[in-house]
Amino acid sequence: MSSGPGADSAPAPQPPTTRTKTSTFSSLRIRNYRIFFLGATVSNTGTWMQRIAQDWLVHTLTGSAAAVGITLALQFLPILLFGLYGGVLADRLDKRKLLLFTQSAMGLTGLLLAALTLTGNVNVYHVYALAFVLGLVTVVDNPTRQTFVSDIVGPDLLRNAVSLNSANFQSARIVGPAVAGVLISAVGSGWAFLFNGLSFLAPIAGLLLMRTGELNPARRAPRGKGQLREGLRYVGSRPELLWPVVLVGFIGTFGFNFPIWLVAFTDRIFLAEAGTYGLLNTLMAIGSLSGALLAARRGGSRMRFMVAAAGGFGALLMIAAAAPVFWVFALLMVPVGLIGMTFVISANTSLQMASDPAMRGRVISLFMMVFVGGTPIGGPLLGWLTDTFGPRLGILAGGLVCAAAALAVALILARIGGLRLKVDLRRGHRHLDFVPRAPAVGEVPREAARELPDETPEEAAARPRREENQHLSRTP
């Protein structure tokens, strides 16, 4: 549906060329993106209100951190099981129409949970069931919504738009938990669920008001057999896609379990209430928002930077585990949020920009599948660790796994790129650095491959074709 006569025939907005300097808010110059952004602002606020209210409701009903982990597991289990199918649908179908369906369905789940809670009939099994239904809808909504951004702004502004979307989500994370904490303390969780259900009216209205003639839709993949396998083969054959996906899987499974850890720290370590839980989420959101805005100004995304961000994120989790008092733990949530968001945005944009537009939905669905689909594994496991051995050991275990995964992927990428890790403990020297690996006897050095860990995704994707052209030019 267009917003007025002639909207469908209006010329598409011309994105800036790659030489145009990108400012923090460049994507907001595009009308369709402004509408999309404003609708998401309202909906994201409601989403964060529901997340806080849902976590606290489950903890109130059960008194168990593991139960919060089970809720998260059920919400993200469909992504683990069916995530790639959502990517196939995103590549095949009209993304705008698909989003109208998914956003409506997500709003209805919020309204149903509100009705159960406000009437006093809710129990933990209702929350489990609705979390699972929400996860089923998210299977389609996530890859569709993320790849639709490219249709709105085009490739030149993709990184900026993805970063602004993350900034939008994290801004709502500042407001939503604070409002939810007040509502829960004053009148109960049901009103937060009600606001979330109604908030989906905003993105639905935004989708209806878009000028479809100004979109830049990617070529749709035709219906056919073997498209899931095709997507997996596509990612598996490209190191610039495969290893970021592997790293995202470890970080998402073992590092992003904050509903479990923050509830447990609030209740068992700091002996506080829902307002403190909301404050910790707000502080983390401030850091995440800062990370998203900084990413919006960056012009590129290198693998080395992404892996370093993952390692820094794991190290910060381990430091937070040892925080002696509340204010130290609370302040650490800011850099944890900043580095965590920097990693997520770097991985997301790297994968989108390095993948073919016709494959982008399947690539992003795989990204989301390993990022949040690992929660059914990590959530209950870390919830059990937190219940059994305490919140500090739970968050320490998550940080250790994240840091170890970042180091392992760094070493693998270095080997692919013809580099090795050099350790130098002398004063005034870099203690850890990657340097060119000496070739073995009879081995021909691969100069082009050496730069892989520090290439942009676009350069990495274009490298095989460039090497082939060089080979052909040398062939007599």
Side-chain angles (χ1 to χ4, degrees), residues 35 77 114 154 203 224 229 233 242 283 292 347 353 399 427 435 455 457 460:
I35 294 173
L77 180 62
R229 292 191 299 273
R233 284 196 301 269
L242 174 63
L283 290 171
M353 295 171 72
R427 182 178 298 179
V435 298
E455 286 181 317

Side-chain angles (χ1 to χ4, degrees), residues 141-307:
D141 182 80
N142 256 335
T144 306
R145 180 165 36 82
Q146 295 203 42
T147 56
F148 186 55
V149 173
S150 179
D151 291 0
I152 298 175
V153 302
D156 293 318
L157 286 174
L158 177 60
R159 179 181 178 83
N160 179 259
V162 169
S163 299
L164 287 180
N165 284 353
S166 298
N168 186 327
F169 191 67
Q170 299 307 323
S171 298
R173 190 177 176 183
I174 295 173
V175 177
V179 175
V182 173
L183 278 178
I184 294 169
S185 300
V187 293
S189 301
W191 295 99
F193 300 142
L194 178 62
F195 181 90
N196 178 56
L198 295 175
S199 72
F200 283 94
L201 292 173
I204 291 170
L207 290 166
L208 293 173
L209 289 171
M210 283 186 180
R211 294 172 180 167
T212 56
E214 295 182 7
L215 297 174
N216 305 279
R219 177 176 56 87
R220 296 186 200 172
R223 181 183 296 271
K225 295 182 178 180
Q227 290 180 317
L228 290 181
R229 292 191 299 273
E230 181 186 11
L232 291 173
R233 284 196 301 269
Y234 179 77
V235 172
S237 64
R238 289 162 172 78
E240 71 276 7
L241 298 177
L242 174 63
W243 293 110
V245 166
V246 170
L247 184 55
V248 163
F250 277 99
I251 301 298
T253 300
F254 298 101
F256 278 77
N257 290 282
F258 296 105
I260 298 169
W261 295 327
L262 297 189
V263 164
F265 266 84
T266 299
D267 185 48
R268 296 172 57 182
I269 302 295
F270 305 127
L271 306 178
E273 299 294 334
T276 300
Y277 176 55
L279 173 63
L280 291 174
N281 276 276
T282 298
L283 290 171
M284 184 178 293
I286 291 172
S288 299
L289 174 61
S290 302
L293 291 176
L294 289 173
R297 296 183 63 86
R298 296 185 71 243
S301 179
R302 296 183 179 273
M303 289 191 194
R304 181 177 297 176
F305 178 80
M306 179 186 65
V307 174

Side-chain angles (χ1 to χ4, degrees), residues 176-476:
V179 175
V182 173
L183 278 178
I184 294 169
S185 300
V187 293
S189 301
W191 295 99
F193 300 142
L194 178 62
F195 181 90
N196 178 56
L198 295 175
S199 72
F200 283 94
L201 292 173
I204 291 170
L207 290 166
L208 293 173
L209 289 171
M210 283 186 180
R211 294 172 180 167
T212 56
E214 295 182 7
L215 297 174
N216 305 279
R219 177 176 56 87
R220 296 186 200 172
R223 181 183 296 271
K225 295 182 178 180
Q227 290 180 317
L228 290 181
R229 292 191 299 273
E230 181 186 11
L232 291 173
R233 284 196 301 269
Y234 179 77
V235 172
S237 64
R238 289 162 172 78
E240 71 276 7
L241 298 177
L242 174 63
W243 293 110
V245 166
V246 170
L247 184 55
V248 163
F250 277 99
I251 301 298
T253 300
F254 298 101
F256 278 77
N257 290 282
F258 296 105
I260 298 169
W261 295 327
L262 297 189
V263 164
F265 266 84
T266 299
D267 185 48
R268 296 172 57 182
I269 302 295
F270 305 127
L271 306 178
E273 299 294 334
T276 300
Y277 176 55
L279 173 63
L280 291 174
N281 276 276
T282 298
L283 290 171
M284 184 178 293
I286 291 172
S288 299
L289 174 61
S290 302
L293 291 176
L294 289 173
R297 296 183 63 86
R298 296 185 71 243
S301 179
R302 296 183 179 273
M303 289 191 194
R304 181 177 297 176
F305 178 80
M306 179 186 65
V307 174
F313 177 72
L316 282 170
L317 289 181
M318 290 186 282
I319 294 171
V325 293
F326 170 76
W327 67 267
V328 174
F329 184 84
L331 290 178
L332 281 170
M333 291 302 101
V334 177
V336 165
L338 189 152
I339 300 298
M341 182 52 54
T342 298
F343 167 75
V344 171
I345 291 174
S346 296
N348 187 315
T349 53
S350 295
L351 290 170
Q352 290 208 50
M353 295 171 72
S355 56
D356 184 272
M359 302 290 295
R360 191 170 288 153
R362 277 163 282 183
V363 172
I364 291 301
S365 69
L366 182 60
F367 165 80
M368 294 306 302
M369 186 179 78
V370 300
F371 182 54
V372 298
T375 303
I377 301 170
L381 175 60
L382 290 167
W384 173 79
L385 281 173
T386 300
D387 277 343
T388 306
F389 300 102
R392 294 189 186 278
L393 191 140
I395 195 171
L396 176 64
L400 281 170
V401 173
C402 292
L407 178 60
V409 170
L411 293 173
I412 291 170
L413 288 174
R415 183 171 182 80
I416 293 173
L419 303 174
R420 65 177 178 86
L421 181 64
K422 178 183 178 182
V423 180
D424 190 343
L425 301 180
R426 292 176 295 174
R427 182 178 298 179
H429 292 253
R430 294 184 65 175
H431 299 321
L432 294 174
D433 195 13
F434 286 102
V435 298
R437 176 169 53 90
V441 177
E443 179 183 359
V444 179
R446 293 184 302 159
E447 297 296 331
R450 284 184 179 175
E451 298 302 319
L452 176 61
D454 202 27
E455 286 181 317
T456 63
E458 303 97 307
E459 293 167 344
R463 180 164 39 79
R465 182 177 299 173
R466 187 171 63 247
E467 291 176 350
E468 181 180 355
N469 290 338
Q470 292 172 351
H471 173 73
L472 291 174
S473 68
R474 291 193 298 265
T475 304

Side-chain angles (χ1 to χ4, degrees), residues 50-130:
Q50 173 151 327
R51 284 193 181 188
I52 300 302
Q54 178 178 281
D55 296 341
W56 198 257
L57 175 63
V58 171
H59 189 263
T60 301
L61 292 171
T62 65
S64 168
V68 178
I70 291 171
T71 307
L72 291 173
L74 288 170
Q75 184 167 331
F76 297 124
L77 180 62
I79 298 176
L80 177 64
L81 298 178
F82 312 115
L84 288 175
Y85 290 96
V88 170
L89 291 176
D91 284 338
R92 281 182 185 172
L93 305 177
D94 185 303
K95 295 182 178 65
R96 177 173 159 273
K97 293 179 180 178
L98 205 53
L99 284 174
L100 285 170
F101 166 76
T102 59
Q103 295 288 295
S104 300
M106 294 168 87
L108 289 175
T109 62
L111 292 176
L112 182 54
L113 186 55
L116 289 168
T117 307
L118 290 173
T119 58
N121 295 315
V122 69
N123 63 53
V124 70
Y125 300 106
H126 293 139
V127 182
Y128 287 167
L130 288 172

